[in-house]
Amino acid sequence: SSGINAESGIADLLDEMHLKWPTDYSGGDTKFWTHEYCKHGTCCTDVLPGIHDYFSAALKLNRQLDVDMALQSAGILPSVDKPYTFDQLNSAMKESFGVDEATYWCRYVKASNGESQQLVFQISVCITKDPSSLKPRDCPVAAGNSCNMGQPFFLLPFSVLTV
């Protein structure tokens, strides 16, 4: 079968991947991981030559670069009532990872009062392509944010998300 699965040589990683790297991507987790590997993993085969190397490194980086803890340390907690600024978010990324530029993705929803609210749904910290040590680095500004950096944002708690 096509796509990332136990037969891809990553059976030992799948439980942690389902826990740490779930998605609402159409087609589910394995289709999303296939997309991620085809888009990003194939560009770093000089550093991470195989599928297992790529996903193992991704999980290791997820453990090392704990975005949830970085946000919590900065007092940015998921809430449907409390908005935050991108200055606060940028400060959290700088404090925890030493980067001035991370990349953010947002979606917009209508609040009960009819106004549009911005929700951050993904935060990416870019990584060096140094074979001896994968470390945080500034993301290229051209990486593009889908967020309006001048408008407050909300982080939704998982408890309000429906699957």
Side-chain angles (χ1 to χ4, degrees):
S1 75
S2 64
I4 301 297
N5 55 41
E7 290 78 44
S8 304
I10 60 166
D12 61 313
L13 304 177
L14 288 176
D15 286 345
E16 187 177 2
M17 288 173 66
H18 282 293
L19 180 67
K20 295 290 189 174
W21 207 350
T23 185
D24 62 356
Y25 194 82
S26 177
D29 291 352
T30 56
K31 187 171 182 181
F32 174 69
W33 299 331
T34 300
H35 161 79
E36 289 298 293
Y37 182 74
C38 290
K39 181 169 180 155
H40 304 291
T42 57
C43 291
C44 62
T45 55
D46 55 327
V47 178
L48 303 167
I51 290 174
H52 191 280
D53 299 315
Y54 173 77
F55 286 109
S56 181
L59 291 169
K60 181 179 177 184
L61 286 166
N62 180 271
R63 289 187 297 272
Q64 290 174 344
L65 305 176
D66 190 336
V67 172
D68 291 333
M69 186 58 70
L71 296 175
Q72 186 177 349
S73 295
I76 301 173
L77 304 172
S79 170
V80 294
D81 301 315
K82 182 170 173 39
Y84 298 98
T85 68
F86 283 96
D87 284 344
Q88 290 172 292
L89 187 53
N90 288 333
S91 292
M93 297 298 103
K94 175 74 171 180
E95 180 68 28
S96 291
F97 309 122
V99 297
D100 291 314
E101 296 289 337
T103 303
Y104 312 118
W105 282 265
C106 292
R107 291 189 177 129
Y108 297 86
V109 297
K110 282 202 175 184
S112 56
N113 63 7
E115 292 183 19
S116 179
Q117 289 185 332
Q118 183 169 226
L119 306 176
V120 170
F121 73 91
Q122 183 173 329
I123 298 171
S124 293
V125 177
C126 294
I127 303 299
T128 61
K129 198 175 169 186
D130 177 351
S132 64
S133 165
L134 301 173
K135 293 183 179 170
R137 68 170 180 87
D138 285 341
C139 293
V141 175
N145 292 312
S146 67
C147 305
N148 176 343
M149 304 298 276
Q151 179 183 343
F153 69 89
F154 291 84
L155 285 177
L156 284 184
F158 282 114
S159 60
V160 301
L161 300 177
T162 56
V163 179

